[in-house]
Amino acid sequence: MSERTGRSDALLCGDDAAAAPCFESYPSRSTEIGPGFRVRRALPVREHRLVGPWCFLDEMGPVTIAAGTGLDVPPHPHMGLQTVTWLLEGELLHRDSLGSEQPIRPGQLNLMTAGRGVAHSEEVVTPAGGTLRGLQLWIAQPESTRHGAPAFAHHAALPELPAGDAIATLLVGRLVAAESPAAVASPALGADLRVGRAGRLSLPLDPGFEHALVVVSGSLEIDGRRAEPGALHYLGRGRERLEAPAGAGTRLLLVGGAPFGERVLMWWNFVARTPGEIAAAREDWQAGRRFGPVSGYPGARLAAPAFTDRFRR
Ligand code: MN
């Protein structure tokens, strides 16, 4: 996924974790990430630009793929973050500058670690008439790993466990006795939760983590209030459990983590610490340095937008 920023200044993120449990809802906003390809961006929001190390959450689709319609995201760079791709319907093809060429289908996880720099493309390979629906998230890398080598991992299967009347699929982190194979550098949780018939979500949480969720379908009730689709629901810190009545067919993504503890700058597809680092990465991309080519992609790569060397709080 590539951020199609209309902004030429970077976004300063950090220091906004709530100390106690809360329930705050922020509407997602519609944004275009490729020609004709709109997504709902749930994170960042002004009040919470990070949830643990999670710094970006896009919900795409459901969209019906028309014949001859490309919904591709052409080659573009990343730095200082990990991309997490999780599909609910359809199929994508990931290519990157490490030489990876990996189809991804529902139930599988793609985790790309950018470190000092990587480039990738995402092609919609869902057949015409099929439906594409999924989520892409970014995890900010801490100082200890953000200058490291890029990497790519595809996890064809993930741990599943009961969570009350729900089934939880563990994308990132630990839940009860299960541990995701996805390698992340900060304490974090990412879980897909779904109920068939109406019931109750019930799972333990790490009270040291802040948590947030997006409802993909259905709805649930948290602290006596409804959590609907189309919003980021921020739950704060200090919760020992999530106990939530859920309607039939409810599906949601829960993310969390220890407050990140580092202030980061986000701009376009980069997570950095200073405007100078962003300016250098942009120049390297424009000049064809650092990130490497994505071979096999049938088309041109994305050009970086203008950057003004500033940031906003
Ligand atoms: Mn991307």
Side-chain angles (χ1 to χ4, degrees), residues 18 21 43 52 72 90 132 141 192 242 276 287:
L43 189 71
D72 296 352
L132 179 72
Q141 290 184 260
D192 176 297
L242 182 59

Side-chain angles (χ1 to χ4, degrees), residues 159-212:
E160 286 197 345
L161 62 159
D165 297 318
I167 300 290
T169 304
L170 192 53
L171 280 57
V172 166
R174 294 162 190 250
L175 194 55
V176 195
E179 183 169 4
S180 165
V184 300
S186 306
L189 174 72
D192 176 297
L193 293 151
R194 55 200 184 278
V195 299
R197 278 181 288 187
R200 189 175 187 81
L201 284 183
S202 174
L203 66 155
L205 298 178
D206 184 331
F209 282 12
E210 56 178 338
H211 293 91

Side-chain angles (χ1 to χ4, degrees), residues 87-109:
L87 293 185
L88 309 181
E89 290 181 79
E91 184 173 347
L92 290 177
L93 177 65
H94 163 97
R95 301 182 202 264
D96 65 38
S97 52
L98 302 166
S100 315
E101 186 179 323
Q102 178 66 58
I104 178 170
R105 299 181 188 91
Q108 306 176 337
L109 185 77

Side-chain angles (χ1 to χ4, degrees), residues 1-3 73 76-78 83 112 120-122 136 138 269:
M1 207 59 65
S2 173
E3 156 83 306
V73 184
H76 60 276
H78 285 292
T83 63
M112 184 179 73
H120 74 147
S121 63
E122 289 155 304
Q136 196 182 69
W138 295 354
N269 297 308

